[in-house]
Amino acid sequence: MTDTDPLVRFSGVRKTYGTFEAVKHLDLDIGRGEFVAIMGPSGCGKTTTLRMLAGLEEPTAGEITIDGKRMNEVSAHDRDTPLVWQSLALFPFLNVKENVEFGLKMRGVSKPDRHGRAMLWLERLGLKGFETRRIDQLSGGQRQRVALARSLVTEPRMLLLDEPLSALDAHLVIRMQGVLTRLQKELGITFVYVTHSQSEAFAMADRVVIMGHGEIAQIGKPQEIFRAPKNRFVAEFVGRNNILPGKTPGQEIVVAADRMQVSASDPGEGALPAEFLSEEFAGTGIICYFEGPEGVELKAQVTEDQLENLAPEPGQRFWLTWAPGAAHVMAGT
Amino acid sequence: MSKRFDAYPYVWRLPLLIWQGLFFVGPLILMVAMSFWLVRNYRMEPDFVLKNWDRMLGRDYFWNAYWVTLWRATLAGVLASLIAFPASYALAFRVSETTRRWAIFFLIVPFFTSYLVRVYAWQVLLAESGPINAVLGFGGLGPFTMLNSGFGAMVGYMTLVLPLVVILQTFSLAAIDRNLIEAAWNLGASPRETLFQVILPAARIGLILGATFAFILSFGDFVSPFYLGGSKPPTLSILIIDTTKSGQQWPRAAVVAIMMIATLFVAAFAAVGAAYGRRK
Amino acid sequence: MRPSDIAFRLYLVALFTFVFLPILTSMVFSLNSDRFPTVPLGEFTTHWYKTAFSRPEVWTAFGNSLIVAVCAAALSTALGFVTAYTDFRYGFRFKPAYLALALLPPTIPLVIMGLAMLAWLGRLGISGTLSGIVVAHTVMGAPFAMAICRLRLSQMDPALEAAAWNLGASQWRAMRAVVIPFCLPALISAYCLTAAVSFDEFIVAWFVSGLNKTVPVMILEILQGNVDPQINAIGTVVFLTSMALVIVAQLLILRKTNA
């Protein structure tokens, strides 16, 4: 076993519930110290994948190995794969410190040792002074950190996170993203992070796995996935992409909304005529929606100044253009 | 590699099957079997004869008791529903949620609190020279004979079932979407029309459930018809007790019991059909 | 306030008066000197309590009731909890039949339960013993315990148990460290309520008790004689006991749940 071998390997993993195929076929390696985000719409199999890794579900077929060791038959409680739950699943009848100590207690760690390690992690996550608080006396962000401390106190080699930030307010999400990336770098352990939120995945992960219909749709660095979606499913899921017919039949190209230029007069060759529909204020700019040839919906991101200059009216005709380098040709469908 | 047998689920599943099988299903099956047994020299002997059924179902006093019980229980179900409804309506729509919660709280208490002693209290209260007749006497009324009559039995039944009926009705009324009622007003329905066209249909399941429970409890009750109703005419439960306790005729009592369970089954199915069936 | 609101409130007061009148009068009459109480009341007296509680058989009956209630409540609560947990955690074939078996007993008239139990327990040789009453009361109490525990479990995040496994607890350990602590208020509540059910039940107990009478069975037998205000005294003690149990049971489940 060397450090370059993957920590986790899914090979040909399938999971069915009755006739429903939650995961169809999964081959995936996760490296040591890597921050991997598994992303996809609900029902794509991402949570099932995570639960199989934690031993909460058993694969119907295929094999999961950790450190080269087959894990399929290992029960959840014999694995070292702590999970941060979407609901956090903190024990409401225990106080903060007792929650953090839980995993150590189950592993038979002595009381003084438990206390020391729990206090260390509480301090590390800025929860000093909260040891004896009840869970319902904590804020959302504090609970989040208790859940992290509870999972990390056993010093695992990997941490699983199932949409852990979905219940938080927007401003806390950004803060917790910082906490998580910093922790992951400091500890050097593997994070497997399941989310449906692009911004979370792209902001934190080294590598993003996009899943759809129980299969992997694309694996890559965030930038790669954003700029070069492999197929229509990824392009649509990532959003703010224009999917256009390519030069040869059956081929499709994709142009990101922020690379689309809008002009009020026909600039000539290659420009797409489109009728203005509406605009939407998004945090980073304004997205204008158009109806292009054959009813295709087109998006272009503009600045506020640009919008003022264009002063679009619904139904008004514009022309959309893009730089040759901005278009990405998709491989499959 | 196959998984080891996991005993865990069975430890939680089996106790009920064993206990209820042994002490609930077992006794009921024995009772059915017993109805075909014979009593000789004050001892039951296993047999398979229809004599007990003949003897019970061929007698007028059984059928008199049957119709009296059925009639009284039906009346109790209807009366309890009617008496409870204004109270449930008030609790669901006219008081604060806190008041409603406390009202339910205090209605649950008597449901689990010695029915027998409460019936005894009614026996004292309703007596010829009791407090109620005394109070009425100040107004120049009475005295009325209230004990040992259908009225007395009905007071007892109401004591038994009213709290439960109010609770069930209140829950079903309070669960109605307020928008539904407001929409009815908004569309010009009068309060009366709203009640009959919107509220009653929407709360149908709870209302039927309440009436059904009132029927079931009254149908099987022995205390009210005995101590307040004067046991004349006897109800089926009084018949069972008389047959068991004095006559030692358990098999015949079993026949009465089976007839009662059959009736309750029919009533329960009819109620479920009325509650969940499609409206015409 | 609308006039109709006042009418509704008066109606509520009337209904609650009807429901609580027998309980209150029983308490008042237990302290009243008249043998046949009426209005106006007689003098204040503790005579009936003194008479009732100077009889050794009253104490025996209370002792019997206590033993039966303590045991039947423990068994009902255990049975109710394991059944509620099964319903919460597992789906399996015949589950509707399983649940029917769990919840049906309260719909069977007590007189019939009494007759069936009398015959069955006689065959098992425990008719006329306190164990017989315990068995019968457990059958009748378990559905209530099951309902209370099920309600509590439905407030539990299903991830909670899985979180315990994930942190290294076996299923058994997770049950002890997570599920039971979470359900503790409901377990105590179920215990109190089923104790009250047992403490108040007299028909089945009457059929199967033989010479080992519980308090309500004794009341039933006194009632078959004459009007006797001792019943009010004993009844008041029974009321206060079962009301206390039911109130504690309710407060425990209504208490702000920090789930």
Side-chain angles (χ1 to χ4, degrees):
Chain A
M1 220 37 62
T2 67
D3 277 1
T4 51
D5 283 331
L7 179 64
V8 176
R9 170 166 282 171
F10 288 85
S11 25
V13 169
R14 199 163 84 93
K15 176 68 187 175
T16 56
Y17 300 97
T19 54
F20 174 69
E21 282 188 303
V23 174
K24 276 183 194 148
H25 184 91
L26 188 71
D27 289 311
L28 175 66
D29 284 357
I30 297 171
R32 287 157 211 281
E34 198 182 12
F35 195 136
V36 172
I38 304 177
M39 187 169 80
S42 54
C44 71
K46 59 188 193 296
T47 296
T48 307
T49 303
L50 196 73
R51 289 176 66 91
M52 285 194 287
L53 187 50
L56 298 165
E57 309 282 350
E58 205 182 333
T60 312
E63 189 177 64
I64 300 174
T65 60
I66 297 180
D67 249 347
K69 187 175 159 250
R70 179 182 162 96
M71 297 303 284
N72 289 36
E73 289 80 18
V74 179
S75 341
H77 69 272
D78 289 329
R79 300 188 188 202
D80 191 19
T81 50
L83 177 57
V84 178
W85 303 76
Q86 181 167 16
S87 65
L88 300 183
L90 295 171
F91 303 121
F93 45 86
L94 300 179
N95 67 26
V96 168
K97 195 182 121 211
E98 289 164 339
N99 261 284
V100 175
E101 281 181 341
F102 191 90
L104 298 170
K105 200 172 164 188
M106 293 304 127
R107 283 172 172 74
V109 176
S110 74
K111 207 170 172 184
D113 201 6
R114 273 189 340 236
H115 172 82
R117 285 164 76 177
M119 293 308 284
L120 197 79
W121 275 95
L122 286 172
E123 196 176 336
R124 190 158 191 177
L125 285 163
L127 290 163
K128 205 173 176 201
F130 288 92
E131 303 88 79
T132 56
R133 289 280 187 101
R134 287 200 344 224
I135 299 306
D136 58 359
Q137 295 171 316
L138 301 181
S139 71
Q142 287 164 344
R143 286 179 204 201
Q144 199 82 47
R145 283 178 281 151
V146 175
L148 274 172
R150 186 178 74 172
S151 297
L152 289 170
V153 72
T154 53
E155 282 157 23
R157 281 173 309 170
M158 76 173 115
L159 181 68
L160 314 183
L161 303 103
D162 184 12
E163 311 228 12
L165 305 183
S166 58
L168 291 185
D169 293 340
H171 69 281
L172 269 176
V173 170
I174 305 292
R175 259 230 318 261
M176 282 309 297
Q177 283 179 2
V179 171
L180 286 174
T181 28
R182 207 191 61 226
L183 257 178
Q184 196 262 341
K185 291 281 165 303
E186 279 174 20
L187 300 170
I189 64 173
T190 303
F191 272 31
V192 183
Y193 189 102
V194 159
T195 181
H196 66 270
S197 153
Q198 252 187 78
S199 58
E200 286 175 24
F202 286 4
M204 293 187 284
D206 301 325
R207 214 151 53 104
V208 176
V209 178
I210 308 256
M211 285 186 75
H213 311 297
E215 285 173 310
I216 292 177
Q218 187 170 2
I219 306 182
K221 293 199 167 64
Q223 199 64 13
E224 270 169 39
I225 289 185
F226 191 65
R227 288 300 175 209
K230 226 161 123 183
N231 52 38
R232 197 182 179 98
F233 174 80
V234 177
E236 277 175 353
F237 180 72
V238 169
R240 290 195 195 170
N241 272 322
N242 295 292
I243 299 163
L244 303 164
K247 292 207 172 69
T248 56
Q251 192 191 49
E252 282 181 317
I253 61 167
V254 66
V255 181
D258 59 349
R259 298 209 167 167
M260 209 47 122
Q261 264 101 49
V262 184
S263 43
S265 56
D266 189 353
E269 171 119 32
L272 268 185
E275 272 178 23
F276 180 75
L277 293 170
S278 66
E279 78 250 12
E280 176 195 32
F281 286 82
T284 49
I286 297 150
I287 306 287
C288 292
Y289 292 89
F290 298 89
E291 188 176 327
E294 290 160 34
V296 62
E297 189 187 79
L298 299 170
K299 294 158 237 168
Q301 186 173 329
V302 298
T303 64
E304 247 174 280
D305 289 344
Q306 286 169 334
L307 185 73
E308 236 168 80
N309 287 335
L310 292 168
E313 292 288 331
Q316 193 183 337
R317 170 151 296 214
F318 291 92
W319 284 265
L320 304 186
T321 52
W322 57 92
H328 163 74
V329 180
M330 289 196 287
T333 44
Chain B
M1 214 187 289
S2 75
K3 270 214 147 176
R4 252 181 336 119
F5 170 74
D6 185 6
Y8 187 84
Y10 299 96
V11 168
W12 309 102
R13 206 171 301 174
L14 289 179
L16 180 94
L17 292 174
I18 294 169
W19 187 276
Q20 300 294 72
L22 210 52
F23 299 120
F24 178 59
V25 180
L28 291 178
I29 289 176
L30 174 66
M31 195 179 69
V32 174
M34 204 163 76
S35 73
F36 300 103
W37 293 3
L38 270 181
V39 177
R40 286 201 192 93
N41 303 324
Y42 301 102
R43 293 180 67 92
M44 279 196 301
E45 287 172 18
D47 205 332
F48 189 81
V49 290
L50 292 173
K51 194 173 153 214
N52 304 305
W53 288 86
D54 271 352
R55 281 298 271 277
M56 290 316 282
L57 303 190
R59 292 285 168 83
D60 279 346
Y61 73 76
F62 169 79
W63 288 108
N64 289 342
Y66 186 86
W67 295 119
V68 165
T69 313
L70 193 63
W71 158 244
R72 280 194 183 168
T74 309
L75 187 64
V78 172
L79 261 184
S81 297
L82 292 178
I83 296 173
F85 189 78
S88 313
Y89 183 89
L91 288 177
F93 300 118
R94 297 299 180 93
V95 300
S96 68
E97 214 181 307
T98 319
T99 313
R100 188 196 312 154
R101 214 174 297 139
W102 282 109
I104 300 280
F105 183 98
F106 283 111
L107 285 170
I108 289 176
V109 173
F111 187 71
F112 289 100
T113 305
S114 195
Y115 171 50
L116 183 61
V117 185
R118 283 184 288 152
V119 164
Y120 172 70
W122 278 120
Q123 218 179 10
V124 174
L125 284 166
L126 298 176
E128 200 82 31
S129 58
I132 290 181
N133 268 322
V135 171
L136 291 174
F138 296 139
L141 295 165
F144 297 102
T145 304
M146 294 180 280
L147 280 182
N148 301 333
S149 65
F151 174 79
M154 208 49 70
V155 168
Y157 290 146
M158 292 305 118
T159 308
L160 179 65
V161 304
L162 262 185
L164 180 66
V165 177
V166 174
I167 290 167
L168 291 171
Q169 288 189 351
T170 304
F171 278 142
S172 64
L173 289 172
I176 299 175
D177 182 359
R178 293 302 152 105
N179 290 337
L180 223 59
I181 297 166
E182 282 162 10
W185 290 338
N186 182 255
L187 294 168
S190 69
R192 209 188 129 82
E193 284 165 336
T194 309
L195 178 66
F196 283 99
Q197 303 298 324
V198 179
I199 296 176
L200 290 183
R204 186 170 57 142
I205 291 175
L207 301 180
I208 293 175
L209 205 64
T212 310
F213 270 105
F215 175 85
I216 291 176
L217 288 174
S218 309
F219 191 79
D221 183 34
F222 143 77
V223 176
S224 287
F226 191 82
Y227 290 104
L228 300 174
S231 73
K232 277 182 196 108
T235 59
L236 291 176
S237 49
I238 294 174
L239 213 57
I240 289 185
I241 284 174
D242 283 350
T243 321
T244 319
K245 289 255 163 184
S246 38
Q248 293 293 323
Q249 274 290 357
W250 296 2
R252 291 186 197 166
V255 170
V256 180
I258 294 164
M259 289 299 288
M260 283 177 85
I261 292 184
T263 308
L264 289 177
F265 248 82
V266 171
F269 272 108
V272 170
Y276 295 97
R278 189 152 298 187
R279 287 181 63 218
K280 280 157 216 132
Chain C
M1 198 183 278
R2 284 175 283 176
S4 70
D5 275 341
I6 296 169
F8 273 121
R9 261 149 230 254
L10 286 175
Y11 193 88
L12 278 178
V13 170
L15 186 116
F16 273 86
T17 307
F18 176 82
V19 169
F20 283 94
L21 188 65
I23 299 177
L24 290 176
T25 49
S26 187
M27 291 176 179
V28 170
F29 293 159
S30 74
L31 295 165
N32 175 43
S33 60
D34 294 335
R35 175 166 281 271
F36 299 98
T38 186
V39 181
L41 290 167
E43 286 157 30
F44 176 85
T45 179
T46 54
H47 171 74
W48 307 116
Y49 286 90
K50 282 182 193 144
T51 325
F53 286 94
S54 64
R55 291 162 57 182
E57 66 265 35
V58 173
W59 287 101
T60 313
F62 269 97
N64 286 342
S65 274
L66 189 71
I67 294 169
V68 170
V70 165
C71 300
L75 284 168
S76 304
T77 306
L79 203 56
F81 175 76
V82 299
T83 310
Y85 179 73
T86 297
D87 180 37
F88 165 76
R89 172 94 194 267
Y90 300 101
F92 46 90
R93 273 178 75 192
F94 307 119
K95 193 168 167 184
Y98 178 85
L99 291 179
L101 193 62
L103 296 171
L104 223 45
T107 61
I108 302 291
L110 294 167
V111 173
I112 296 176
M113 283 291 283
L115 172 65
M117 281 287 177
L118 175 65
W120 181 259
L121 297 179
R123 301 245 134 199
L124 297 182
I126 51 170
S127 179
T129 66
L130 291 185
S131 323
I133 311 179
V134 169
V135 162
H137 285 181
T138 302
V139 170
M140 292 152 68
F144 293 106
M146 142 101 187
I148 292 175
C149 294
R150 188 65 189 84
L151 204 68
R152 180 62 179 155
L153 282 167
S154 66
Q155 294 168 347
M156 186 169 94
D157 177 358
L160 221 56
E161 210 184 350
W165 307 332
N166 182 252
L167 291 167
S170 68
Q171 297 202 80
W172 301 99
R173 194 84 194 269
M175 168 55 70
R176 212 175 60 206
V178 173
V179 184
I180 289 177
F182 186 88
C183 290
L184 197 60
L187 289 169
I188 301 172
S189 172
Y191 189 89
C192 292
L193 194 76
T194 50
V197 167
S198 165
F199 200 73
D200 279 340
E201 201 289 321
F202 53 92
I203 292 180
V204 180
W206 183 39
F207 271 88
V208 302
S209 63
L211 297 173
N212 293 301
K213 288 167 197 148
T214 59
V215 176
V217 172
M218 182 184 64
I219 295 177
L220 192 73
E221 297 195 340
I222 300 175
L223 258 177
Q224 283 168 333
N226 247 322
V227 168
D228 187 341
Q230 283 182 54
I231 292 177
N232 287 324
I234 302 169
T236 299
V237 177
V238 173
F239 274 143
L240 294 177
T241 312
S242 44
M243 275 162 82
L245 286 170
V246 177
I247 287 172
V248 170
Q250 287 205 74
L251 289 177
L252 277 167
I253 21 180
L254 291 179
R255 204 182 50 151
K256 269 249 175 296
T257 44
N258 38 23

